[in-house]
Amino acid sequence: MTESEIRTKLWIAGEWVDSASGSTFAVHNPATNELLAEVQEGRSEDIDRAVGAARAALASAEWRDINPHDRSRLLWKLADLIEENADELATLETRDNGKPYFESRRVDLPSVVENFRYFAGMADKVHGSTIPVAGPFLNYTLREPVGVVGCIIPWNFPLPQAAWKVAPALACGNTVVLKPAEQTPLTALRLGELATEAGFPAGVLNVVPGFGETAGAELVRHPGVDAIAFTGSTPVGKIVMREAAETLKKVSLELGGKSPNVVFADADLKAAVRGASTGIFYGKGEVCAAGSRVLVERSAYEGFVEALAARAEQMTVGDPMEKTTRLGAIVSEEQLDRVMSYVEAGKSEGAKLVKGGDRVTVDGKGNFMTATVFADVDAGMKIAQEEIFGPVAAVIPFEDVDDAIAKANDTIYGLAAGVWTRDIGKAHRFAHEVQAGTVWVNTYNQYDSASPFGGYKQSGFSRDLGYGAALDKYTQTKSVWVAVDG
Ligand code: ADP
């Protein structure tokens, strides 16, 4: 793909348009820090224009009265187009985000296609119920679209995150204004264009790149937006919730995490080491559900730390387009600085750096670091409490089941958790007592469009994925009473 083929304008009402101010922002390839594109910067006026287009599409007979089977076909067609353009989209994603190409092409893209197909299947199954009530009445409910949904997404899984929100929102008959992260707007723009090519009416999906404090904040404040579906950091989630209160928007928040990956001594330890390694190093650790706290039972602790360090050593840092690369480029220089500041904090607070912790370059360029393992981490240390969002594991010992559960829950977050044991009773007890929206038993990082994903505590509320969660999030219920005593 040549630079001139990269889409850099705003996608509003089925057309490429320049931003009202004419200003642009630079998007860099984190593997080289070279300029990838100058993208039109959406601001208040542009958000207003996109919301106008989404409102008009919502009211149009073409979308409002569409036969649900046709809505389903449109989503399926969009999935087909994503599949046909998967090489291009994966290349764009890797160049924009820095993740290894095999992750974009073999993991992200197939999951995005599957996501659109799953929600294509939902589109003609959005229905209410008939409810027995007292008196001579027929009572039934309608599941109606919420309206215009503002989707705000982060930079770690740009296309999958867009799909997680856009697919169910459209399946339920809403229209969307999507604001991708300023670091990674490119695949979202292409998605907007493909939706129109699939046959979605103009204005049903609009894509406006821009900065959080301007474009994102404006979307949250705009009175023409009925709901905000947000994925991002916990501090920004709090701002979004406060700002959305003014117009009482329906808000859903999928936020940060400090997820525990708990290994009992009776586990298949080889599998647990592999699971702990993917849990924290997959996606450069820029994963909200990353298993960043690896809790290991004392009797297995020492050997486990050694084995995890050996796996960290195998996480080859390299050009994200190379097949052998396992750890791509950290998304930006700023993010790399942040992650490295946590490495320094770990050292100065007295944790033992057993592997990695180095900032490196590839061919003299880019934002790279080595896979990092800290041992002898105390639960109170910064690296055990704060979300790092990088390939840094904090390995913490525990004594028994009670201690494991207490330590697992010793966090403001509650996004996900893993547990490794051959004792089924222990596994279920952990699954019941851990405060997390997802629990993986003898596995980690499993996702499926059919299974809800989201947080407890300060990891947010509401869920992405899954039929029931989508119905809650992207529809509103109308109760209809009909007198039948006539
Ligand atoms: P991250 O740490 O992943 O960058 P952020 O929460 O900062 O997470 O960003 C996630 C998304 O939220 C991005 O699209 C960003 O532009 C947007 N965002 C940031 N600040 C705000 C804000 N004040 N209002 C709305 N959206 C915002």
Side-chain angles (χ1 to χ4, degrees), residues 233-310:
S233 62
T234 293
V236 174
K238 292 178 186 179
I239 297 173
V240 166
M241 197 165 161
R242 273 197 294 271
E243 291 287 321
E246 192 54 36
T247 43
L248 278 181
K249 286 183 177 64
K250 186 170 180 173
V251 175
S252 57
L253 302 173
E254 199 264 87
L255 307 175
K258 192 73 194 174
S259 299
N261 201 355
V262 175
V263 182
F264 285 96
D266 67 10
D268 172 346
L269 289 172
K270 261 193 175 162
V273 169
R274 274 199 308 275
S277 172
T278 7
I280 182 61
F281 299 136
Y282 183 82
K284 308 167 260 166
E286 294 166 346
V287 179
C288 40
S292 49
R293 289 185 299 142
V294 183
L295 308 185
V296 184
E297 193 164 3
R298 178 84 64 187
S299 58
Y301 188 79
E302 241 174 74
F304 193 93
V305 168
E306 236 171 73
L308 185 61

Side-chain angles (χ1 to χ4, degrees), residues 38-56:
E38 282 285 351
V39 174
Q40 294 288 318
E41 186 201 337
R43 291 186 189 168
S44 162
E45 257 184 84
D46 308 295
I47 290 290
D48 189 51
R49 184 170 174 185
V51 172
R55 286 232 77 85

Side-chain angles (χ1 to χ4, degrees), residues 333-348:
E333 213 170 338
E334 188 189 353
Q335 180 63 13
L336 180 56
D337 288 344
R338 227 185 124 221
V339 177
M340 290 308 297
S341 76
Y342 278 107
V343 172
E344 289 313 312
K347 287 193 224 165
S348 67

Side-chain angles (χ1 to χ4, degrees), residues 152-156 179-183 210-218 220 230-237 239-240 243 335 338 387 389:
I152 301 178
I153 57 168
W155 44 257
N156 56 346
K179 210 259 346 134
E182 50 270 40
Q183 296 86 347
F211 292 94
E213 300 74 11
T214 48
E218 181 61 21
V220 175
F230 175 85
T231 296
S233 62
T234 293
V236 174
I239 297 173
V240 166
E243 291 287 321
Q335 180 63 13
R338 227 185 124 221
E387 184 175 44
F389 229 59

